[in-house]
Amino acid sequence: MRPSWAQTAKAADASTTRHRILVVGDSLSAEYGLRRGAGWVALLQQRLAKEGVSADVRNASISGDTTSGGRARLAPLLRSYQPTHMVLELGGNDALRGLPLKSTADNLRAMTQAAQDAGAQVLIVGMQVPPNYGGDYGRQFSSLFAEVAAERKAGLVPFLLKGVADGPDAASLFQADRIHPREEAQAAMLDNVWPALRRQLR
């Protein structure tokens, strides 16, 4: 998916906008299987406008991306868009591919530091894996997001799919692949991100 700026209701020019938010994520943020403009990142732009927050959102999410892929493409994104804030939603595909947890943590750490060095506040969005991955692996995976956030003094969303993957109607909120949330789940995903991001935008 080609990244593109989401426009505000007034089509404010980025040079005069107070906040420039860069979202670097995978298919959960790239509207995989959804109609364009229905994903939680697009809903974020609408929420910002409704709340009267002067901000533009750049969605640089790519389906299938890993933390190593995000790390490799981050530098030009930072140079081009000069974000004031970065939402980092990567790591789920690392787990699906069985990549080493240390590698995932190192990549998240490096991306967070690079964005902070470029002057952006960072919000790390955590993920969890299904129980079949094993209890120890699942706990270590979910905790690494909090560990990196604490180490780098970044913001944290513990679990992007809280209330979606772990709710009573979980099956109805996912597409046929049982991995990607349906359009009906996107508002809940935004609600998970919004409180932590709103604090950073003050």
Side-chain angles (χ1 to χ4, degrees):
M1 175 180 177
R2 177 178 296 177
S4 60
W5 279 105
Q7 299 299 314
T8 63
K10 296 181 180 180
D13 184 85
S15 64
T16 61
T17 301
R18 182 181 177 192
H19 303 297
R20 297 179 301 279
I21 303 170
L22 175 66
V23 180
V24 182
D26 52 32
S27 56
L28 297 179
S29 300
E31 298 187 331
Y32 179 90
L34 305 176
R35 63 184 176 88
R36 299 305 87 179
W40 75 265
V41 179
L43 297 181
L44 169 61
Q45 184 72 81
Q46 297 173 26
R47 177 76 61 88
L48 289 163
K50 181 179 179 180
E51 296 285 334
V53 180
S54 177
D56 278 310
V57 180
R58 167 71 177 187
N59 191 357
S61 302
I62 297 177
S63 295
D65 206 8
T66 61
T67 57
S68 61
R71 182 176 180 177
R73 63 191 179 90
L74 182 62
L77 289 172
L78 295 175
R79 287 195 299 269
S80 297
Y81 306 116
Q82 301 178 11
T84 58
H85 298 75
M86 183 177 79
V87 179
L88 181 54
E89 183 276 301
L90 286 172
N93 287 317
D94 293 44
L96 291 176
R97 299 180 185 186
L99 300 178
L101 294 175
K102 183 180 184 302
S103 174
T104 299
D106 286 347
N107 289 330
L108 291 174
R109 187 178 297 111
M111 295 180 73
T112 300
Q113 181 170 350
Q116 291 173 334
D117 289 347
Q121 294 189 58
V122 178
L123 179 62
I124 296 175
V125 179
M127 185 51 57
Q128 296 179 12
V129 293
N132 58 293
Y133 280 71
D136 288 342
Y137 182 89
R139 283 188 292 271
Q140 292 177 43
F141 178 76
S142 62
S143 66
L144 69 83
F145 298 95
E147 292 168 1
V148 174
E151 177 185 330
R152 294 301 313 164
K153 295 181 173 57
L156 175 70
V157 176
F159 184 29
L160 177 61
L161 299 182
K162 180 176 176 60
V164 178
D166 57 1
D169 299 320
S172 67
L173 293 176
F174 282 84
Q175 299 176 39
D177 61 11
R178 299 186 180 182
I179 296 175
H180 298 95
R182 295 165 55 92
E183 185 172 331
E184 293 84 349
Q186 301 301 309
M189 294 164 66
L190 173 59
D191 285 342
N192 290 331
V193 174
W194 178 249
L197 180 60
R198 188 68 181 90
R199 287 193 294 271
Q200 291 187 337
L201 294 170
R202 288 174 181 163

